[in-house]
């Protein structure tokens, strides 16, 4: 077991004009489940390959435990890269399907059998070991695939989108199993995904990347409750946080005919900016009891059990503005849902309104 | 209503039963052909004379693979041709079905499992491996990171005495201007693991020549790849008095089937040392030349063989001084065409024509040796057709139903080799993990299963403060 540390780690592809991974600083604790998440092309796979020794590090360092591995070849790093592929071989038993890579690595037969047995116990697959894989369900196949990684007994697991080709149901089932298994094994794991829901439900901590730059690394809840900047605010959470432009005025930020209260010391941090971005999560909005609040024209109300989601746009926009306007989403109680086409007023507690600088994109509240 | 994404739509695809999961399609639409193992549901479907491969796969990947296959075709890579992505499928009950990626069935292609049918000779395995290595190097030259190199993900076509490999599964691929060494290394690691597993599987199924050792095989794949890559891209230094080495390098690359489009040559100031490095090399040296001269489309080694025959013809007819294109035309009319036109129509789906011509040349050589005379090509063609071709299995597509796997055992599903053999049906043991399968209802939620309250609850549980 080991910690993993990226120190100012940078990768510039030949011919590339900007780094695919730019001065990445990241400390991953012993036994921690760290998820790298971000949109396609942000440098997740590159970071993982750098850690695996499969991509040159142009600047900075990478450590595993107290060893500087920056220049070590992949085989000397004691890591296991889990491929997306988990083809199961029809003529081989489940045991052989789990242990074959060890055979290639020259691990002795008894040792192989021992590790396979141990992994099967962890995965509840003991009764299947001598069987052929053909009758296995999708979920069981996934467990055999996990078994392949576990038997390798590495210091660090690297997983690059291992669930990306599964259907939604199997994906949810498998991600729960991987996370549970990882915490039982306690092996440091770096997991890459572009799916923020997957990241949030699996990771002990989540590192959000964009254009090769680490935006924030935190626990899922901290990312959700205190996003560092506009990118993280918009990327994490589903449905996404409402990001609304407000004009800086005395006492707050004006949206339409309403001034959203913002503490004076927060506004001060906006410097000379004329506007700020207000970030409000859909579940934080409430229907205002009086006429005080952000006015929204209701486009659709969708009821999902006890809750309803209201979709609309800010009131008082011109036709053209409306077409380009960001959609406002609010989660409201479904007891008295407003009519579509009507106007509602929405408010949120001051403490739950995030304020971002439009100049730095950073959080100022 | 299903939607079709397609550059070359085939209207006959539209009325197919898209609202049925592919695994449940009525057999009237299907054709059982040998194929590789797969994780997704894959079926061969027949519409009129055409055969397509259909794969049920999630939307992002279907579209991604469709586009990549398109790019690969455009770049002239041997790969299957994408036809369509069918999205928006709904079962009759209204629940959504995964999209289907449709590719054109590659004619005369042989999945490796079919090639291993009659128990396979070591030599054949080596040739298959060589073909795979060449394909991998070609893809890497183009900047294609495959991500899932395996025998199941290539198709083989006969290519004179060897094989040509085609890419069939691009799901995990990425196309860049140029790959880094690490990216190639990554593909190579994946190749090792997958191929080792596939060889072990053949061994376990009793269809790998006992003399072949899986570990030796994967080692040789790696070594051959590295050798080929060095030849294709490596820097070579020599002294200014050895200028012939430039030409030798180009010839060696040609012999390997590659053209050198750009060779970087650097000399030291005084011209004492020379450094060369191929910068742009294109595969298909011989097949391009054959195409230019005769319009025939052939695999690389077939083309080499046909070109040799063309050269012999030129020499025999004493036309060394005559323009090559003119001689090529004569050869086509007087030698090649008479051979292929005598093949009865019902035998044409046994071999593609370039391969057939190659086999006739072989046949003639052996007959001439035996009979101590120069056997005329037309006579050899007749002999080959009657003695050999008639007895060969159909390879364009095997039209017969093939419920039997290579080892002679019954497949449990004739359309899906991944499902193993019929005689292995046994009761599955009780599996509590499946029984108490996690509640997955959340997956169906409107926001991809994101549930902040559940996250908060989990956090409180982990840290009750
Ligand atoms: N060989 C290469 N040459 C040039 N650029 C490359 C190369 N390989 C990757 N890149 C670029 O580097 C950037 C980061 O790629 P990377 O694969 O790490 O992203 P990612 O976050 O994993 O994306 P995805 O989710 O799509 O896999 C992308 O812009 C990609 O196009
Ligand atoms: N166009 C085609 N022509 C001929 N054979 C094909 C074609 N497309 C697919 N096949 C056959 O079907 C098999 C499975 O297809 P494919 O590899 O695309 O499925 P997959 O489920 O993505 O596989 P994997 O498990 O490797 O991801 C291939 O091994 C090949 O034998
Ligand atoms: Mg990636
Ligand atoms: Mg495949």
């Amino acid at each position: 077991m080991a910690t993993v540390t990226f120190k100012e780690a940078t990768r510039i592809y030949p011919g590339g004009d900007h780094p695919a991974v730019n001065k990445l600083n990241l400390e991953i604790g012993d036994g921690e489940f760290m998820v790298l998440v971000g949109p396609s092309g942000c440098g997740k796979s590159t970071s993982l390959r750098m850690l695996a020794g499969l991509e040159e590090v142009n600047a900075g360092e990478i450590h595993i435990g107290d060893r500087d591995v920056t220049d070590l070849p992949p085989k000397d790093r004691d890591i296991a890269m889990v491929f997306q592929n988990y083809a199961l071989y029809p003529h081989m038993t489940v045991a052989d399907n789990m242990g074959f890579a060890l055979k290639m690595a020259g691990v002795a037969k008894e040792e192989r059998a021992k590790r396979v047995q141990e992994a099967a116990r962890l995965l509840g697959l003991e009764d299947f070991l001598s069987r052929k894989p053909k009758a296995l369900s999708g979920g069981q196949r996934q467990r055999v695939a996990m078994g392949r990684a576990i038997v390798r007994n590495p210091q660090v697991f690297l997983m690059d989108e291992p669930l990306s080709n599964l259907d939604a149901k199997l994906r949810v089932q498998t991600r729960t199993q991987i996370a549970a298994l990882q915490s039982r094994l306690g092996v440091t794991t770096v997991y890459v995904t572009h799916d923020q829901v997957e990241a949030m439900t699996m990771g002990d901590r989540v590192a959000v990347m964009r254009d090769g730059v680490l935006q924030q690394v935190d626990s899922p809840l901290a990312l959700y409750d205190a996003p560092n900047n506009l990118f993280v605010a918009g990327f994490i959470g589903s449905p996404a946080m409402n990001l609304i432009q407000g004009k800086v005025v005395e006492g707050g930020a004006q949206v339409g005919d309403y001034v959203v209260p913002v503490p004076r010391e927060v506004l001060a941090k906006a410097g000379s900016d004329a506007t700020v971005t207000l970030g409000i999560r859909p579940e934080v909005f409430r229907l205002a009891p009086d006429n005080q609040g952000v006015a929204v024209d209701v486009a659709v109300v969708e009821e999902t059990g006890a809750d309803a989601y209201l979709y609309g746009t800010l009131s008082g926009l011109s036709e053209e503005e409306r077409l380009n306007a960001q959609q406002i989403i609010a989660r409201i109680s479904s007891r008295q849902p407003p009519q579509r086409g009507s106007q509602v007023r929405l408010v949120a507690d001051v403490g739950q309104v995030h304020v971002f600088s439009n100049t730095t994109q950073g959080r100022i509240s | 209503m299903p939607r079709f994404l397609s550059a070359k739509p085939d209207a006959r695809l539209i009325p197919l039963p898209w609202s049925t999961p592919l695994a449940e399609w009525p057999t009237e639409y299907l054709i059982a052909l040998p194929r590789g193992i797969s994780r997704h549901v894959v079926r061969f479907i027949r519409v009129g004379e055409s055969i397509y491969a259909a794969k049920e796969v999630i939307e992002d990947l279907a579209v991604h693979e469709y586009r990549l296959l398109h790019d690969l075709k455009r770049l002239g890579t041997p790969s299957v041709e994408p036809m369509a992505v069918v999205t928006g499928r709904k079962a009759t009950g209204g629940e959504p079905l995964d999209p289907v990626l449709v590719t054109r069935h590659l004619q005369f292609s042989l999945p490796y499992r079919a090639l291993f049918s009659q128990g396979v000779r070591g030599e054949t395995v080596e040739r298959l491996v060589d073909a795979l290595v060449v394909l991998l190097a070609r893809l890497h030259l183009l900047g294609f990171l495959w991500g899932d190199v395996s025998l199941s993900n290539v198709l083989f076509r006969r290519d004179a005495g060897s094989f040509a490999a085609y890419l069939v599964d691009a799901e995990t691929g990425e196309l860049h201007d140029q790959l880094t060494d690490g990216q190639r290394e990554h593909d190579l690691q994946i190749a090792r693991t997958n191929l080792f597993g596939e060889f072990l599987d053949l061994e376990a199924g009793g269809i790998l020549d006992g003399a072949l050792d899986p570990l030796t095989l994967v080692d040789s794949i790696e070594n051959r790849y590295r050798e080929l890559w060095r030849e294709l891209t490596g820097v070579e230094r020599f002294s200014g008095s050895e200028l012939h080495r430039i030409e030798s390098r180009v010839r060696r690359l040609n012999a390997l089937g590659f053209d050198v489009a750009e060779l970087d040559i650097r000399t030291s100031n005084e011209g004492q040392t020379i450094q060369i490095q191929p910068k742009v090399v294109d595969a298909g040296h011989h097949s391009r030349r054959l195409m230019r001269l005769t319009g025939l489309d052939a695999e690389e080694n077939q083309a080499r063989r046909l070109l040799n025959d063309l050269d012999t013809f030129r020499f025999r007819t004493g036309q060394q001084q005559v323009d090559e294109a003119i001689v090529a035309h004569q050869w086509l009319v007087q030698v090649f065409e008479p051979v292929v036109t005598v093949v009865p129509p019902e035998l044409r789906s046994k071999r593609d024509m370039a391969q057939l011509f190659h086999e006739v040349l072989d046949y003639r050589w052996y007959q001439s040796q035996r009979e101590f005379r120069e056997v005329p090509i037309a006579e050899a063609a007749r002999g080959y057709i009657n003695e050999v071709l008639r007895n060969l299995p159909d390879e364009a597509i095997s039209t017969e139903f093939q419920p039997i796997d290579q080892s002679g055992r019954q497949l449990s599903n004739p359309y899906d080799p991944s499902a193993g053999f019929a005689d292995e049906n046994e009761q599955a043991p009780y599996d509590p993990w499946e029984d108490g399968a996690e509640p997955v209802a959340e997956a169906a939620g409107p926001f991809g299963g994101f549930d902040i309250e559940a996250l908060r609850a989990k956090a409180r549980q982990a840290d009750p403060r």
Side-chain angles (χ1 to χ4, degrees):
Chain A
M1 265 174 269
T3 56
V4 168
T5 313
F6 289 84
K7 285 188 188 165
E8 301 278 303
T10 299
R11 174 62 175 144
I12 306 174
Y13 283 106
D17 45 10
H18 71 285
V21 174
N22 198 348
K23 299 191 176 156
L24 176 62
N25 285 303
L26 188 59
E27 282 186 39
I28 304 167
D30 189 8
E32 187 172 27
F33 195 122
M34 173 67 77
V35 181
L36 305 186
V37 71
S40 183
C42 70
K44 308 179 292 287
S45 297
T46 305
S47 309
L48 209 62
R49 277 203 305 271
M50 288 161 83
L51 176 54
L54 290 168
E55 203 61 79
E56 201 181 318
V57 178
N58 298 113
E61 291 170 12
I62 296 179
H63 293 238
I64 297 179
D66 42 25
R67 281 198 308 165
D68 180 347
V69 299
T70 316
D71 299 312
L72 281 190
K75 63 174 172 34
D76 298 338
R77 296 192 180 199
D78 201 7
I79 48 170
M81 187 105 168
V82 180
F83 305 142
Q84 242 184 48
N85 179 301
Y86 60 96
L88 295 190
Y89 301 110
H91 299 309
M92 285 156 55
T93 61
V94 167
D96 288 342
N97 264 290
M98 271 164 62
F100 79 91
L102 293 181
K103 188 168 180 182
M104 187 167 75
V107 178
K109 195 164 180 180
E110 298 80 68
E111 174 69 12
R112 262 175 7 228
K114 205 181 94 203
R115 292 206 212 161
V116 167
Q117 189 67 39
E118 173 63 16
R121 195 180 55 73
L122 280 165
L123 292 161
L125 287 172
E126 285 159 299
D127 291 344
F128 290 83
L129 283 179
S130 57
R131 289 165 174 271
K132 301 284 164 66
K134 69 170 211 178
L136 298 186
S137 71
Q140 290 166 332
R141 286 168 177 262
Q142 285 301 316
R143 276 145 63 195
V144 176
M146 285 183 239
R148 279 186 184 165
I150 295 171
V151 297
R152 289 160 70 183
N153 226 346
Q155 290 206 53
V156 185
F157 280 128
L158 307 187
M159 310 196 193
D160 194 347
E161 304 260 10
L163 309 182
S164 66
N165 59 5
L166 303 185
D167 62 41
K169 192 172 156 224
L170 199 50
R171 195 155 61 224
V172 171
Q173 183 183 334
T174 310
R175 79 184 177 212
T176 321
Q177 291 180 349
I178 292 184
L181 196 65
Q182 192 276 342
S183 85
R184 273 163 71 196
L185 288 170
V187 177
T188 313
T189 300
V190 189
Y191 184 104
V192 160
T193 176
H194 67 279
D195 178 350
Q196 59 95 11
V197 181
E198 200 168 297
M200 295 288 278
T201 46
M202 294 181 81
D204 292 329
R205 283 192 303 154
V206 175
V208 184
M209 295 182 70
R210 176 202 197 184
D211 287 343
V213 180
L214 178 65
Q215 305 288 307
Q216 184 170 1
V217 50
D218 247 320
S219 72
L221 280 185
L223 283 181
Y224 191 83
D225 291 336
N228 260 347
N229 60 34
L230 275 171
F231 177 77
V232 177
F235 189 76
I236 296 290
S238 174
M241 182 187 278
N242 294 291
L243 297 173
I244 302 168
Q245 291 302 310
K247 208 166 104 197
V248 178
V249 294
E250 186 56 35
Q254 180 154 14
V255 179
D257 58 4
Y258 175 69
V259 176
V260 179
V262 176
R264 183 179 303 279
E265 62 277 13
V266 173
L267 282 183
K269 289 189 215 153
S272 56
D273 287 2
T275 58
V276 290
T277 301
L278 302 174
I280 304 173
R281 297 259 175 222
E283 69 272 19
V284 163
F285 267 136
R286 280 174 287 114
L287 288 174
D290 44 29
N291 230 5
Q292 294 293 301
V294 175
V296 169
D297 296 333
V298 180
V300 185
V301 178
E302 238 175 49
E303 299 196 34
T304 59
D307 296 323
Y309 283 91
L310 174 160
Y311 299 81
T313 44
L314 293 176
S315 301
L317 299 179
S318 69
E319 197 54 40
E320 201 190 322
E321 284 169 329
R322 187 198 296 275
L323 282 177
N324 299 318
Q326 197 216 1
Q327 174 171 266
I328 303 285
I329 307 180
R331 188 175 83 190
I332 53 175
S333 136
S334 65
R335 259 170 301 157
Q336 285 171 322
Q339 294 288 306
R340 82 182 269 188
S342 64
Q343 191 193 65
V344 295
R345 295 252 176 199
L346 298 172
V347 287
D349 292 340
V350 179
Q352 295 194 300
V353 176
H354 308 267
V355 186
F356 299 94
S357 153
N358 280 341
T359 306
T360 64
Q361 312 270 299
R363 174 194 190 83
I364 51 178
S365 55
Chain B
M1 251 225 317
R3 289 182 49 198
F4 289 74
L5 165 73
S6 178
K8 277 189 260 162
D10 179 343
R12 296 170 306 175
L13 288 171
I14 295 173
L16 295 178
W18 298 112
S19 57
T20 308
L22 195 51
E24 294 163 22
W25 276 28
T27 50
E28 58 187 286
Y29 298 105
L30 304 181
I31 170 163
L33 300 177
R35 66 167 176 88
I37 54 176
S38 60
R39 287 165 294 180
H40 299 100
V41 179
V42 175
R43 294 290 183 269
F44 294 114
I45 54 184
R46 193 211 304 253
V47 286
E49 290 289 281
S50 314
I51 297 189
Y52 295 113
K55 159 156 99 175
E56 210 164 57
V57 57
I58 62 172
E59 180 152 356
D60 290 358
L61 292 181
V63 174
H64 174 76
E65 184 165 9
Y66 177 85
R67 297 204 170 127
L68 263 185
L69 287 175
H70 242 283
D71 291 341
L72 288 176
K73 273 271 139 210
R74 190 171 42 77
L75 293 166
T77 330
S79 50
V80 297
E81 184 188 349
M83 286 301 299
V85 177
V86 187
T87 56
R89 298 170 65 214
K90 283 215 167 66
T92 27
E95 53 301 357
L97 297 173
D98 278 338
V100 170
L101 170 72
V102 183
T103 54
R104 189 188 291 285
H105 175 259
L106 185 66
Q107 271 215 326
F108 296 105
S109 66
L110 303 160
Y112 77 102
R113 288 183 166 251
L115 282 163
F116 287 90
S117 53
Q118 295 92 17
V120 73
R121 286 181 307 154
E123 200 189 347
T124 312
V125 178
E126 306 250 310
R127 291 184 171 155
L128 294 176
V129 159
D130 274 342
L132 179 66
V133 165
V134 169
L135 176 65
L136 187 59
R138 282 183 74 170
L139 290 167
H140 285 174
L141 281 175
L142 288 174
F144 184 79
L145 178 65
W146 193 343
D148 197 3
V149 191
S150 74
L151 285 173
S152 265
N153 287 340
V154 296
L155 292 166
F156 295 97
R157 263 181 167 175
R158 292 191 191 282
D159 179 10
S162 36
F163 294 97
Y166 281 68
L167 175 142
V168 53
D169 186 341
E171 204 176 294
T172 44
E174 289 174 28
L175 196 55
H176 299 288
D177 285 345
Q178 197 190 343
L179 294 187
T180 61
D181 289 346
Q183 286 173 317
R184 292 188 304 107
E185 206 57 43
H186 194 186
D187 253 2
L188 218 48
Q189 273 195 9
I190 293 170
R192 273 186 73 97
T193 311
N194 283 344
L195 284 139
F196 186 68
E198 287 171 320
F199 286 130
L200 284 185
D201 188 44
L202 292 171
E203 197 174 61
I207 38 184
L208 188 70
D209 187 334
L212 295 172
D213 167 43
L215 194 59
T216 319
L217 280 172
V218 293
D219 283 343
S220 87
I221 289 168
E222 185 173 338
N223 294 336
R224 286 173 202 209
Y225 171 87
R226 292 194 198 285
E227 251 168 59
L228 178 58
W229 190 259
R230 209 174 309 124
E231 190 66 79
L232 289 173
T233 64
V235 176
E236 198 178 331
R237 282 190 198 84
F238 40 83
S239 90
S241 61
E242 294 180 291
L243 283 176
H244 61 273
R245 289 183 60 172
I246 300 179
E247 166 123 21
S248 307
R249 178 73 175 265
V250 173
R251 279 175 185 267
R252 284 202 311 274
L253 286 167
N254 289 167
L256 287 167
F258 291 84
D259 276 328
V260 182
E262 269 177 43
L263 186 67
D264 185 27
I265 306 178
R266 296 177 190 203
T267 53
S268 62
N269 279 343
E270 302 79 22
Q272 286 142 332
T273 57
I274 312 255
Q275 171 183 320
I276 61 171
Q277 183 180 25
K279 284 290 182 191
V280 182
V281 291
D282 301 320
H285 172 73
H286 298 95
S287 55
R288 257 197 306 279
R289 184 165 159 237
L290 181 72
M291 172 67 89
R292 197 177 64 235
L293 289 171
T294 65
L296 292 175
D297 194 0
E299 299 292 348
E300 189 58 18
N301 291 308
Q302 293 169 341
R304 197 191 305 249
R305 190 78 202 274
L306 268 57
L307 286 167
N308 278 340
D309 193 58
L310 169 59
D311 286 342
T312 315
F313 173 82
R314 189 177 192 186
F315 187 76
R316 210 168 10 122
T317 51
Q319 302 191 78
Q320 288 90 319
Q321 312 306 326
V322 183
D323 185 288
E324 197 181 30
I326 295 172
V327 184
H329 182 73
Q330 292 174 0
W331 173 84
L332 194 65
V333 175
Q334 295 172 24
V335 181
F336 184 81
E337 284 174 354
V339 168
V340 302
T341 46
V342 295
V343 181
E346 70 275 13
L347 298 183
R348 295 207 169 181
S349 52
K350 298 198 176 220
R351 288 287 186 271
D352 73 73
M353 289 304 123
Q355 181 67 20
L356 182 130
F357 188 80
H358 155 79
E359 292 182 10
V360 169
L361 289 179
D362 271 0
Y363 181 91
R364 179 176 67 167
W365 188 83
Y366 284 113
Q367 192 186 0
S368 303
Q369 294 289 304
R370 250 192 340 262
E371 302 178 3
F372 304 106
R373 67 180 175 114
E374 182 83 351
V375 177
I377 187 86
E379 182 188 334
R382 280 191 301 276
Y384 168 81
I385 291 166
N386 291 324
E387 289 168 31
V388 183
L389 190 63
R390 275 190 203 288
N391 305 316
L392 290 176
D394 227 324
E395 285 189 348
I397 46 158
S398 12
T399 37
E400 297 140 49
F401 207 62
Q402 295 202 342
I404 312 281
D405 188 68
Q406 296 70 52
S407 51
R409 295 162 75 187
Q410 193 90 12
L411 284 178
S412 71
N413 179 348
Y415 302 102
D416 189 359
S418 330
F421 296 124
D423 52 4
E424 282 168 352
N425 273 323
E426 32 180 48
Q427 201 62 44
Y430 171 65
D431 179 3
W433 284 49
E434 287 279 295
D435 205 29
E438 330 284 320
V440 292
E442 51 180 297
F447 304 110
F450 186 83
D451 183 351
I452 187 64
E453 307 312 337
L455 280 178
R456 289 195 201 285
K458 186 172 115 188
R460 272 195 302 276
Q461 225 172 22
D463 182 11
R465 271 167 303 155

